Amino acid sequence: MLRTHYCGNIVENDIGNVVEVCGWVQTKRDMGGVIFIDLHDREGTLQVVCDMQNLEHFNIVESVKNQSVVQIEGKVRLRDAETVNSKIKTGTIELFASKFTLLSEAKTLPFSLDEDVREDLRLKYRFLDIRREGMINNLKFRHKIQKLAQDYLDNEGFMNIETPMLTKSTPEGARDYLVPSRVHAGEFYALPQSPQIFKQLLMVGGVDKYYQVARCFRDEDLRADRQPEFTQVDMEMSFVEQEDILIHLERMFKYIFRQAMNIELDTFERITWQEAMDKYGSDKPDLRFELPIVDITEIARVCEFSVFRNIVDNGGIVRAICVKDGASFSRSTIDELTKTAVTCGAKGMAWIAIRPDGEIYSILTKYFSDKDIANIIATTGANNGDFILFCADTLNTVRKTLGTLRLEIADILQLRKKDEYKILFVTDFPQFEYSEEDNRFISTHHPFTMPHKEDIEKLLTDKGNVRALAYDVVLNGVELGSGSVRIHDSQVQELMFKALGLSDAEVQDKFGFMVNAFKYGTPPHAGFAFGLDRLVMLLLGANSLRDVIAFPKTKDASCIMTNAPSFVDDSQLEILNLGRTKEYTSISKTLDIDVDKVASLAMLSMKEDEKDKIKQELSAIIEFANELSKVDTTGIDATVQEQTNIFRQDVVSNQNRQAEMLENAKTTEDGFILVKKVIE
């Protein structure tokens, strides 16, 4: 080994010892004959003192650039009291160098690691960004969380088993990433969205406790807490019921929080999906604060306010949220809440403010009787100084609107504290959800999820009211993971396929290998998987998954460091028996240029044979501009040449002939320049 210690792991007990360290030169301070270097590695920073009287080849130290990689040997000593640095854990000691070796010289970095820079630049040079203390600490913490989960599962008797990355594309999920087969022309593998099928087959095979830190892939639109490739801690157990899984999950998450955060979690609250949607407007409610949603439909049904009454008469509902001490909301705050309600699909937001002296302040007093107001106040539990807001609409719109407003109000009142953690189980999800796109019911989870026993008889007759033995773990309003009890009874599985509208031929084609396996003795089993990236993000208080993944993708699922995805050579496509569906172009994305609109704006007339050429030229200009935007200009000063004699003297030349005058005009007709008529 080139080193005996990490820079950040040297302590006062090492004083007097000769050690060797390696790392990156973070800063260098030349004091004339003595140079101080802050040397950094993954464990921290160490001050190194290089004295020309004690160090051979001192000229190397003088010329070394920041972020160069060096190896230094020396004796550990105590710092002078006035030079102690309390900001780093090695702040009381330093290394007095006796040998200095330059291992790799660094060019000037495209940005300073000590400054905040825009995210696209950080991702382009991710290998440099990882050197930042914050980023490397995030990755170390992620490693710790993963190891704790594995340690717990190992101690509980789970077997760590890998499942295939190249598998069969199956329906009832997000879009698959497809991989063409060279050997089987025209056929494709799919990258797994989860190891679901294989872990169930492991249960058939007698592996009663399985887990895996699994890589998963989903081709879906991205957001801050979603990536096209992600990591989940996946597990499955045989001969268990739902209660066994929930007990096991609570123990596991409490263990992780205790070991990683020194936090003892309370007993996990359990609520059904129906209760979550009705009381909080979300299937992943944030329970760090109250603000429950209260149903006042029956009051609205008989009230004097015709707007509410008509909505209820037409099958809608009316619900409300009471905000304690919310009567102090400013008009601008109320207007912002109203805008949010409208963006959720509501037609507006009605409200009542109860001033501290008990006065009712609301336009609704014109439409509600005193008795109606009193009933609403009693039902919502409002008191003097509170604020009540309403939504009257269809069930789905009311849930979405009030669920969103509940979170926005919590942010206004600063109720969502990042250092507070509330985990709960949400159970009894709907077995099916109706797809407007497919015009049919589809599985809410997957077609192997077991329904409640008492709901099996509804599979073919009342799909909308079938409850699944499915459960989610929710942390601070974010779904950490989900799981379910699986179907092990072949008759129930057959009913499930019929409920989904799958023919015998479709079942055989899509799930034949799995259905066949279940014929040979399948134990009752259940499982769960949670997102490792998402859990780490929440525990660190990070704003994006990109902050806890070493090499993430951007919002458009691309990697700006490697320029993936990218075109491949025709020869590679030929080997895979694939051809390009269109002529290759170096433009990274298809540009939809409306040439007619461009011509209209420029007041030009174009012939049909000119439009394609214009479109190509505009595409080339845009591509060139995109390439220019990728050029790193960090540290480059803009310079402007001093101009002289820039005004040209006008000199009358010989009069041009008509043909010469029209030579550069693209639109001519009958010997004239053709200009689009702009005035009627």
Side-chain angles (χ1 to χ4, degrees):
M1 292 289 291
L2 297 179
R3 63 184 172 197
T4 59
H5 293 71
Y6 283 108
C7 293
N9 288 348
I10 298 177
V11 295
E12 290 190 13
N13 286 343
D14 294 312
I15 291 175
N17 294 337
V18 175
V19 300
E20 289 181 284
V21 292
C22 296
W24 287 262
V25 176
Q26 193 173 42
T27 61
K28 185 177 72 171
R29 303 179 298 280
D30 193 338
M31 310 302 292
V34 178
I35 294 177
F36 292 89
I37 286 177
D38 287 336
L39 194 66
H40 186 77
D41 61 21
R42 77 172 206 189
E43 297 300 325
T45 303
L46 176 67
Q47 177 172 282
V48 179
V49 181
C50 300
D51 190 327
M52 65 183 304
Q53 303 298 325
N54 189 63
L55 192 61
E56 189 177 1
H57 305 304
F58 187 75
N59 61 306
I60 298 177
V61 182
E62 290 180 306
S63 62
V64 71
K65 295 180 179 179
N66 284 350
Q67 295 304 318
S68 294
V69 182
V70 300
Q71 176 192 27
I72 303 175
E73 180 182 312
K75 183 177 289 188
V76 181
R77 68 184 189 185
L78 192 67
R79 285 200 198 192
D80 294 335
E82 62 273 14
T83 65
V84 169
N85 183 358
S86 60
K87 295 181 179 179
I88 59 176
K89 60 182 179 180
T90 61
T92 61
I93 57 177
E94 62 188 13
L95 185 66
F96 189 58
S98 58
K99 184 178 179 182
F100 188 100
T101 304
L102 176 62
L103 298 178
S104 175
E105 185 175 13
K107 294 173 58 178
T108 301
L109 269 59
F111 57 88
S112 172
L113 301 184
D114 298 325
E115 298 177 359
D116 289 332
V117 295
R118 63 182 192 272
E119 188 182 46
D120 61 332
L121 194 58
R122 289 175 51 207
L123 294 179
K124 182 177 181 180
Y125 295 95
R126 189 61 156 189
F127 46 87
L128 297 178
D129 189 49
I130 290 174
R131 293 184 196 172
R132 294 173 182 263
E133 184 175 10
M135 190 65 212
I136 194 69
N137 285 342
N138 286 358
L139 296 180
K140 288 164 67 175
F141 184 78
R142 177 195 173 99
H143 162 76
K144 183 176 183 178
I145 296 297
Q146 178 177 328
K147 186 176 185 301
L148 287 172
Q150 291 178 280
D151 288 346
Y152 173 85
L153 294 167
D154 285 339
N155 292 334
E156 291 291 319
F158 284 75
M159 294 175 61
N160 187 352
I161 302 175
E162 293 181 348
T163 53
M165 298 296 283
L166 297 176
T167 183
K168 180 181 177 64
S169 179
T170 56
E172 307 296 334
R175 289 182 298 273
D176 289 324
Y177 279 103
L178 300 177
V179 180
S181 169
R182 176 183 61 83
V183 177
H184 305 281
E187 298 182 349
F188 293 81
Y189 300 103
L191 298 180
Q193 296 186 33
S194 77
Q196 182 64 48
I197 291 176
F198 291 102
K199 67 180 182 180
Q200 289 191 249
L201 293 178
L202 286 171
M203 298 301 105
V204 177
V207 179
D208 67 326
K209 290 184 176 182
Y210 141 92
Y211 88 91
Q212 178 184 187
V213 180
R215 296 293 286 166
C216 304
F217 307 85
R218 292 179 186 172
D219 184 7
E220 55 189 352
D221 296 333
L222 304 189
R223 57 192 184 210
D225 64 346
R226 182 183 287 171
Q227 283 276 302
E229 51 182 325
F230 58 95
T231 304
Q232 68 181 33
V233 178
D234 194 53
M235 60 200 78
E236 195 84 4
M237 299 174 70
S238 290
F239 306 108
V240 293
E241 296 177 327
Q242 176 172 291
E243 185 64 19
D244 301 306
I245 293 287
L246 298 187
I247 291 173
H248 152 69
L249 292 175
E250 183 165 341
R251 288 172 52 205
M252 180 181 68
F253 282 112
K254 283 184 174 180
Y255 173 79
I256 291 173
F257 270 77
R258 184 184 308 118
Q259 298 297 323
M261 308 288 288
N262 196 28
I263 292 176
E264 290 291 339
L265 294 173
D266 295 332
T267 300
F268 292 9
E269 188 171 339
R270 300 188 188 186
I271 60 176
T272 66
W273 177 89
Q274 186 74 42
E275 182 184 358
M277 296 300 295
D278 289 340
K279 191 173 181 179
Y280 303 108
S282 171
D283 60 2
K284 44 182 182 294
D286 190 339
L287 297 191
R288 286 175 291 180
F289 58 94
E290 291 295 326
L291 294 178
I293 297 169
V294 180
D295 194 299
I296 62 166
T297 301
E298 294 310 311
I299 297 175
R301 190 186 304 278
V302 296
C303 76
E304 297 180 3
F305 187 27
S306 61
V307 174
F308 280 8
R309 196 173 58 249
N310 290 339
I311 288 174
V312 175
D313 290 344
N314 286 285
I317 62 171
V318 183
R319 290 179 179 171
I321 295 176
C322 176
V323 184
K324 297 301 179 182
D325 301 319
S328 59
F329 280 168
S330 66
R331 186 69 205 191
S332 61
T333 297
I334 296 174
D335 288 343
E336 287 301 317
L337 292 174
T338 303
K339 289 179 182 177
T340 299
V342 172
T343 61
C344 292
K347 298 175 181 63
M349 186 190 80
W351 54 271
I352 293 174
I354 310 174
R355 287 175 169 162
D357 61 2
E359 179 190 358
I360 304 299
Y361 175 59
S362 171
I363 194 174
L364 293 181
T365 56
K366 296 180 180 179
Y367 309 102
F368 280 105
S369 67
D370 291 342
K371 180 181 178 181
D372 292 334
I373 295 288
N375 284 340
I376 290 172
I377 290 175
T379 303
T380 58
N383 295 301
N384 292 355
D386 293 349
F387 180 86
I388 307 170
L389 57 89
F390 306 88
C391 184
D393 214 301
T394 62
L395 175 62
N396 288 338
T397 298
V398 170
R399 282 174 170 173
K400 180 181 179 181
T401 301
L402 292 183
T404 302
L405 288 175
R406 179 176 178 270
L407 296 179
E408 184 165 333
I409 292 168
D411 288 336
I412 292 172
L413 300 178
Q414 298 182 339
L415 301 178
R416 298 208 282 175
K417 297 177 174 60
K418 284 190 175 183
D419 59 351
E420 185 179 344
Y421 302 96
K422 186 71 173 181
I423 299 186
L424 71 146
F425 291 118
V426 179
T427 64
D428 299 347
F429 277 78
Q431 184 79 45
F432 305 101
E433 59 185 3
Y434 192 78
S435 170
E436 297 290 348
E437 181 180 348
D438 297 330
N439 195 30
R440 67 181 181 91
F441 279 97
I442 61 175
S443 296
T444 300
H445 285 73
H446 53 71
F448 306 105
T449 299
M450 185 73 178
H452 275 262
K453 289 183 179 179
E454 57 268 33
D455 291 348
I456 292 176
E457 62 184 21
K458 302 177 184 177
L459 283 173
L460 301 180
T461 60
D462 191 11
K463 297 183 181 68
N465 289 310
V466 178
R467 296 165 300 149
L469 287 171
Y471 36 84
D472 279 4
V473 173
V474 177
L475 170 60
N476 293 355
V478 178
E479 177 199 331
L480 278 186
S482 61
S484 67
V485 176
R486 324 303 188 188
I487 299 173
H488 69 281
D489 185 319
S490 59
Q491 291 183 335
V492 176
Q493 187 64 70
E494 184 177 343
L495 278 175
M496 181 62 67
F497 286 141
K498 286 183 178 179
L500 291 170
L502 297 176
S503 66
D504 291 343
E506 288 176 310
V507 170
Q508 189 61 36
D509 177 58
K510 296 171 181 176
F511 306 109
F513 63 97
M514 194 167 184
V515 173
N516 184 57
F518 285 177
K519 295 177 181 178
Y520 297 97
T522 305
H525 58 288
F528 181 81
F530 74 87
L532 177 64
D533 319 290
R534 191 168 292 181
L535 175 60
V536 174
M537 178 187 74
L538 292 173
L539 296 187
L540 288 174
N543 295 318
S544 168
L545 287 180
R546 294 186 292 274
D547 292 330
V548 300
I549 297 175
F551 300 102
K553 302 292 188 294
T554 58
K555 290 181 180 180
D556 64 353
S558 63
C559 174
I560 56 179
M561 183 182 69
T562 62
N563 289 325
S566 61
F567 288 101
V568 297
D569 294 338
D570 287 334
S571 58
Q572 292 177 271
L573 296 178
E574 290 172 3
I575 292 173
L576 295 170
N577 297 291
L578 297 174
R580 296 197 187 278
T581 58
K582 60 181 181 180
E583 185 178 352
Y584 172 79
T585 171
S586 61
I587 298 175
S588 58
K589 294 182 179 179
T590 302
L591 298 171
D592 186 14
I593 299 174
D594 188 341
V595 178
D596 290 326
K597 184 175 181 180
V598 173
S600 176
L601 291 172
M603 296 184 180
L604 295 175
S605 173
M606 292 185 188
K607 298 178 180 178
E608 289 301 319
D609 59 351
E610 294 177 316
K611 291 182 180 180
D612 288 340
K613 186 175 181 181
I614 293 296
K615 189 170 185 177
Q616 292 175 9
E617 292 176 351
L618 288 174
S619 297
I621 292 171
I622 293 172
E623 180 188 10
F624 179 66
N626 288 337
E627 291 301 317
L628 284 179
S629 68
K630 297 177 183 179
V631 176
D632 183 15
T633 59
T634 305
I636 300 176
D637 295 328
T639 59
V640 179
Q641 295 289 338
E642 185 177 347
Q643 300 290 325
T644 58
N645 298 326
I646 61 173
F647 295 105
R648 176 179 61 82
Q649 295 293 327
D650 286 331
V651 178
V652 178
S653 60
N654 294 330
Q655 186 173 4
N656 291 321
R657 296 189 304 275
Q658 183 183 39
E660 293 173 339
M661 294 177 65
L662 298 176
E663 184 177 357
N664 293 320
K666 288 193 175 181
T667 53
T668 63
E669 188 172 307
D670 299 329
F672 296 95
I673 298 175
L674 183 62
V675 179
K676 184 177 180 180
K677 182 167 66 173
V678 296
I679 299 177
E680 294 294 340

